């Protein structure tokens, strides 16, 4: 029995888990995928929004601004790459200049600091590649870029470190209130859980989870957004995050450097009934290229290294739904978390934990660990630091991903951390191995070798991202035949190998002596 | 770390041949840096035959071909480091590299030979719409998994792109019991060698669908199907021509990209057509003493030509090192310019050197090299180029400024097969005013 069960290990669920980690309670996160950060949290603009977009007085506005404020400290505490690069909402039609002023006014009311309306000249000086048509821009210095994977993973890791349990491949199928007054949860894999409180952080599925317990139905509409990610070679094409003026469908197609130095272009906004429709479309990508080109000149779109799509969990009233469900006491919704959900996530965690703290009378742990140290990043280390690292662990001298220059040491660490990587995508999101211009063409066989070795997962079972996503389901004829012949001798072989390793070690001792 | 006269970045076919020729040309201070755990590069996974017909007059497999050169490297006592990634090549030719044993180290080289090879264009760069499930591989990655690791990506295969590796893998997957349903090629002609179309597709009854591309990828976790459509002259899908193929594997063989990140960072000037360095007759880049050869320079079809090219790069690197030493030796006395510098100085054109530009027009896409310093060229100089379309019974014409000096009819030329012309030094030397040599394709 748990005090709190959180459904979903995306950025909202992880943020709630992170905040609950400080209290003396038993918390568990149920996640239908094999890893954290598998849904909307992994496929978005990765922007820390300033907070001028959301309607004044909305929860969205409040949590956006609060989340933005929390990022400096959070990024230090949890060791997450974050940079305030500033954003520009660019106006290219004179008659729409008034729109910038409206955004400015709303931003001021929302509590956004440092906003400034720039003339055409000022905007172009700040960002020389803006369109010739630029007539003005709203500058928000507090906007930033973050690694969305690491934000999600870091909060989850810290929660794990502080005793929060995570159950992966655990899809919630049914929730009911028992006569014992507890929530009883059935998972698709047959497991059952019960808890005093449930937090619904199920992303695009938050309506399904909510509707299992409440008569007051909600509806999440998936809004698909296609993105293109461009090579680091052109990552400096703009240095600020460039937005068009917003419309009813959202903030529009942005162009931004990413925290890791790529250029991101997107998203489109297409509504879909399918909660799994993360497929890109030819029309979507076409639209991106056209729209992005109207605000930034000479967009180097031919340098695309990948395209992807994410689903925003759009709630029909366009605000976050956070709080206890009226007809389902002890069930807390965290629904409709669309943009600026990533920005707001730490504040969402804080708010939900606040609600639970008050209702449950939570007390803080004495041994709470507030900080988390990320995976050693070899990029940017000096030669001396690098050599010190390699001396201690030679795996840091072996580059596995040659595009992003990721070492074997980093991959091994990603695998063995709390909530460690189990798949190629798990490694990729934690280390960036495979995220570069060759898109894992070179490093995936090598990463598979490391996963096979470190986790004793047979090659045939290694996945791209869990489930049915196996990479090489069978052996070749020759290897299969050799394997069959050798299989009876396998134990002996292992022993022989161990023997060899052992004798090597004793050789070392002799030499050492 | 020891100092070396010549550092070779890459121990594939180009790096090996360059090392062997540099050693034979008299340089004893050579180091090959190879990122993989074996010498030989991608040849190690090319277990099919057909290598070496030009070089050794016999048919070898990739590993056998590589071993002919590895054997020489070993016999000649050329030093190499495996598992070693070059992190940086500075404009002053200081090479920074890293491995498990030595950590990060620098070598101030006198000459550097770039031989990093190329990589495959991934799905992302093609902007193919659809899902992003497991089961999509670049052909070379699948080749490694099958031939080196001994694992099969799947049983029902569609291949996009008719590059040579894709064609070879169509046959390889078939021999392993997989069903290769078709090879779709966006262009109206194949990107691979004719012999591979015949031996890898025709012989196995695998259809090659020219002017077709993949327009959708299905499967949330693992690939389940792709949709292929015909494309019009604008290379856009033609509505109504869609065909759905169930499959668990999609292999991509849509072009190779020279791997020039190190070169760019060093300040090497690039040719946007080849995505490789701009080089002169000595295969030297704009940075004197930095040479390039093999697929990092321009993508080749045949490894034999890589070896031949790399051999020249190795010899020229030795000349450069010797020239630089002669110059350094003379620097104390009277400043020797002229000959020594012409010998030594790369694109830094020495005083009155006769430098001719090469241009590719009218169907010829590029030439390697891009310039020729007549004094420094060998008696015969091979100029390689590719055409941009399929040409039947057309002529390769070479113009010395406005004068047509070569006009050779070819039965067929296609983008998938590299072409070449040979220039004679004597021919150029007798034209001191010659500025530009143009290679073009003419109908008559």
């Amino acid at each position: 029995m748990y005090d709190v069960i959180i459904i979903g290990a995306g950025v909202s669920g992880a943020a709630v888990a992170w905040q609950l980690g400080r209290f003396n309670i038993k918390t568990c996160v149920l996640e239908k995928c094999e890893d954290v950060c598998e849904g909307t949290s992994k496929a978005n603009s990765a922007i820390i929004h300033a907070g001028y977009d959301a309607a004044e007085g909305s929860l969205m506005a409040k949590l956006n601004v609060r989340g933005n404020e929390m990022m400096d400290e959070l990024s230090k505490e949890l060791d997450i790459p974050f940079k305030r690069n500033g954003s520009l909402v660019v106006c290219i039609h004179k008659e729409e200049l008034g729109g910038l002023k409206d955004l400015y006014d709303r931003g001021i009311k929302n509590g956004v600091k440092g906003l400034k309306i720039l003339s055409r000249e000022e905007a172009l000086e700040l960002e020389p590649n803006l369109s010739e048509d630029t007539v003005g821009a709203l500058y928000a210095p507090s906007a930033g870029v973050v690694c969305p994977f690491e934000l999600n993973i870091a909060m989850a890791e810290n929660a794990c470190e502080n005793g929060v349990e995570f159950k992966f491949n655990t899809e919630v199928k049914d929730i009911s209130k028992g006569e014992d007054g507890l929530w009883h949860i059935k998972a698709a894999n047959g497991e059952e859980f019960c808890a005093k409180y449930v937090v619904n952080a199920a992303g695009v599925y938050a309506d399904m989870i909510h509707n299992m317990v409440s008569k007051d139905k909600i509806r999440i509409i998936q809004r698909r957004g296609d993105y293109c990610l461009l090579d680091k070679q052109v990552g400096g094409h703009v240095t600020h995050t460039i937005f068009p003026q917003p419309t009813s469908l959202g903030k529009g197609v942005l162009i931004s450097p990413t925290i890791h130095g790529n250029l991101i272009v997107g998203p489109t906004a297409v509504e879909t009934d399918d909660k799994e429709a993360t497929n890109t479309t030819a029309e979507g990508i076409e639209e991106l290229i056209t729209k992005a080109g109207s605000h930034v000149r000479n967009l180097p779109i031919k340098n695309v290294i990948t395209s992807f799509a994410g689903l925003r969990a759009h709630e029909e009233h366009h605000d976050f739904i956070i709080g206890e469900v009226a007809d389902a006491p002890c069930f807390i919704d965290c629904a409709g978390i669309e943009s600026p959900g990533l920005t707001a996530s730490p504040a969402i965690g804080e708010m939900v934990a606040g609600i639970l703290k008050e209702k449950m009378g939570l007390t803080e742990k004495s041994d709470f660990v507030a900080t988390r140290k990320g995976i050693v990043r070899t990029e940017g280390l000096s030669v001396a630091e690098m050599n010190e690292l390699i001396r201690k662990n030679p795996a840091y001298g072996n580059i596995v991903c040659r595009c992003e220059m990721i070492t074997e040491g980093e991959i091994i660490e990603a695998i063995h951390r709390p909530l460690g990587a189990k798949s190629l995508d798990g490694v990729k999101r934690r280390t960036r191995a495979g995220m570069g211009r060759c898109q894992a063409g070179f490093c995936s066989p090598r990463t598979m070798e490391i996963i096979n070795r470190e986790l004793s997962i047979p090659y045939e079972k290694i996945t791209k991202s869990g489930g049915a996503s196996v990479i090489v389901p069978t052996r070749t004829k020759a290897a299969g035949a050799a394997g069959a012949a050798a299989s009876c001798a396998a134990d002996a072989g292992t022993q022989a190998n161990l023997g060899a390793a052992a004798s090597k070690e004793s050789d070392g001792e002799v030499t050492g002596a | 770390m020891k100092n070396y006269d010549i550092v070779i970045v890459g121990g594939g076919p180009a790096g090996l041949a360059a090392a062997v020729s540099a050693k034979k040309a008299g340089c004893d201070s050579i180091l090959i840096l190879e990122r993989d755990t074996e010498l030989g590069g991608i040849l190690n996974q090319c277990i099919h035959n057909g290598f070496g017909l030009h070089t050794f007059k016999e048919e070898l497999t990739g590993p056998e071909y590589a071993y002919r050169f590895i054997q020489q490297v070993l016999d000649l006592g050329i030093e190499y480091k495996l598992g070693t990634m070059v992190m940086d090549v500075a404009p002053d030719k200081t090479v920074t590299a890293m491995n498990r044993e030595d950590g990060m180290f620098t070598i101030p080289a006198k000459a550097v030979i770039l031989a990093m090879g190329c990589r495959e264009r991934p799905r992302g760069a093609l902007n193919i719409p659809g899902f992003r499930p497991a089961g999509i591989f670049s052909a070379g990655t699948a080749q490694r998994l099958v031939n080196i690791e001994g694992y099969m990506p799947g049983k029902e295969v569609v291949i996009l792109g008719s590059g040579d590796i894709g064609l070879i893998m169509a046959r390889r997957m078939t021999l392993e019991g997989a069903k290769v349903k078709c090879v779709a090629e966006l262009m109206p002609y194949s990107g691979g060698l004719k012999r591979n179309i015949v031996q890898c597709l025709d012989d196995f009854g695998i259809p090659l669908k020219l002017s077709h591309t993949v327009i959708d990828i299905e499967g949330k976790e693992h690939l389940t199907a792709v949709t292929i459509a015909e494309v019009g002259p604008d290379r856009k899908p033609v509505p109504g021509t869609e065909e759905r193929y169930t499959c668990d594997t999609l292999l991509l063989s849509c072009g190779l990209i020279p791997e020039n990140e190190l070169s760019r960072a060093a300040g090497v000037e690039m040719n946007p057509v080849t995505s490789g360095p701009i080089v002169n007759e000595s295969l030297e880049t704009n940075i004197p003493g930095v040479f390039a050869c093999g697929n990092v320079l321009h993508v080749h079809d045949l490894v034999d030509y890589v070896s031949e090219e790399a051999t020249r790069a190795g010899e020229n690197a030795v000349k450069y090192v010797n020239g630089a030493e002669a110059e350094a030796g003379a620097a104390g006395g009277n400043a020797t310019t002229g000959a020594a510098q012409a010998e030594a100085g790369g694109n830094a054109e020495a005083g009155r050197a006769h430098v001719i530009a090469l241009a590719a027009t009218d169907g010829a896409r590029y030439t390697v090299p891009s310039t020729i310093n007549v004094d420094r060229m060998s008696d015969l100089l091979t100029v390689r180029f590719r055409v941009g379309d399929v040409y039947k019974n057309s002529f390769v014409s070479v113009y010395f400024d406005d004068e047509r000096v070569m006009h050779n009819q070819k039965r067929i030329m296609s983008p998938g097969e590299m072409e070449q012309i040979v220039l004679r030094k004597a021919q150029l030397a007798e034209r001191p005013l010659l500025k530009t040599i143009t290679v073009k394709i003419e109908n008559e």
Side-chain angles (χ1 to χ4, degrees), chain A residues 7 12 19 26 51 64 85 116 126 130 168 205 213 216 224-225 250 266 275 302 329 349 358 390 438 448 451-452 479:
Chain A
I7 301 172
S12 303
Q19 283 291 319
K26 218 170 155 227
N64 180 345
N85 64 321
K116 197 178 166 212
L126 211 52
L130 287 183
F168 295 106
Y205 289 94
V213 302
D216 185 14
R224 191 182 61 224
K275 292 189 186 296
K302 69 171 172 53
E358 199 183 302
I390 297 169
C438 95
M448 288 169 73
I451 291 176
N452 166 262

Side-chain angles (χ1 to χ4, degrees), chain A residues 483 485-502:
Chain A
S487 69
C488 50
D491 284 345
T494 316
Q495 273 169 19
N497 282 338
L498 283 174

Side-chain angles (χ1 to χ4, degrees), chain A residues 204 219-225 269-279 310-312:
Chain A
V204 292
R219 182 167 169 237
I220 302 291
I221 302 153
Q222 294 68 235
R223 230 175 230 178
R224 191 182 61 224
V270 178
E271 293 190 356
T272 166
D273 293 333
D274 186 347
K275 292 189 186 296
E276 294 292 328
T278 51
N279 54 317
L311 297 173
R312 286 94 114 188

Side-chain angles (χ1 to χ4, degrees), chain A residues 3 77 95 149 203 206 215 226 232 234 263 266 307 318 356 399 474 502:
Chain A
D3 295 300
E77 269 186 7
E95 61 278 14
F149 316 120
K215 288 198 175 63
D226 290 12
K232 284 181 174 177
V234 297
L263 199 69
S307 48
H318 190 54
L356 290 171
I399 296 276
T474 53

